[in-house]
């Protein structure tokens, strides 16, 4: 079976004021919970700071998936924001070919924890992984 988690993609596009954006993001998280959908956040320090404010921590209880295209599959570059002190997943390389006509973004998360589980800090279990890129939502599937 697959565990499904939907990540709200908080990146610059057509946002309003920080206060209006906070209401929207909170409503998005609340709706996912109401629907019984496991939620996470896809954002980075710059985007989060611009859209809702660096210190706004409403979602810090959710797993954070952050992009930083530095070709390094590690969290060594992570800078705390939004109440997160540790991310769950890093997207470390943009559109990449994996040897077939499909292109994906390259993502990484630490290995060594029981596969398919999330620990108390929000860090995922499992090993290095490939994930596809979504548009407004990012979906994560894991056996």
């Amino acid at each position: 079976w697959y565990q499904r988690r939907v990540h709200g993609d908080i990146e610059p596009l057509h946002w309003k004021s920080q206060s209006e954006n906070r209401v929207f993001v909170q409503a998005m998280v609340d709706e996912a919970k109401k629907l019984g959908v496991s939620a996470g956040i896809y954002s980075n320090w710059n985007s989060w700071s611009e859209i809702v404010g660096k210190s706004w921590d409403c979602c810090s209880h959710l797993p954070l998936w952050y992009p930083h295209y530095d070709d390094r599959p590690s969290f060594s570059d992570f800078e705390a924001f939004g109440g997160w002190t540790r991310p769950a997943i890093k997207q470390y390389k943009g559109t990449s070919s994996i040897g077939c006509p499909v292109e994906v973004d390259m993502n990484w998360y630490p290995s060594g924890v029981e596969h398919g589980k999330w620990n108390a800090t929000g860090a995922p279990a499992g090993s290095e992984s490939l994930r596809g890129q979504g548009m407004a939502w990012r979906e994560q599937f894991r056996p």
Side-chain angles (χ1 to χ4, degrees):
W1 70 279
Y2 287 88
Q3 177 184 6
R4 182 176 182 188
R5 182 175 305 274
V6 177
H7 288 78
D9 190 346
I10 312 301
E11 297 182 280
L13 188 58
H14 301 289
W15 292 92
K16 298 182 179 186
S17 70
Q18 284 188 350
S19 60
E20 291 172 295
N21 297 342
R22 289 175 178 184
V23 169
F24 176 78
V25 171
Q26 185 65 60
M28 182 175 59
V29 169
D30 292 345
E31 186 66 17
K33 184 176 181 178
K34 181 176 145 187
L35 294 171
V37 175
S38 294
I41 298 294
Y42 177 91
S43 193
N44 65 21
W45 184 92
N46 291 326
S47 297
W48 191 262
S49 297
E50 176 184 328
I51 295 166
V52 295
K54 180 183 178 186
S55 63
W56 191 59
D57 64 357
C58 87
C59 303
S60 62
H61 64 287
L62 300 174
L64 174 65
W65 182 1
Y66 78 106
H68 182 212
Y69 296 159
D70 62 357
D71 289 326
R72 293 187 336 207
S74 77
F75 295 151
S76 63
D77 62 320
F78 181 73
E79 183 176 337
F81 66 93
W84 288 287
T85 57
R86 179 184 166 101
I89 304 171
K90 176 183 178 182
Q91 189 166 88
Y92 67 93
K93 188 174 184 180
T95 306
S96 304
S97 176
I98 57 171
C100 61
V102 175
E103 291 184 331
V104 297
D105 291 338
M106 302 297 284
N107 297 278
W108 177 87
Y109 55 85
S111 61
V113 185
E114 184 182 345
H115 194 66
K117 304 280 184 189
W118 291 81
N119 68 27
T121 66
S127 59
E128 202 165 316
S129 178
L130 301 176
R131 302 281 183 251
Q133 181 175 2
M135 293 294 281
W137 285 95
R138 297 185 182 266
E139 294 185 285
Q140 173 192 354
F141 296 89
R142 186 176 49 236

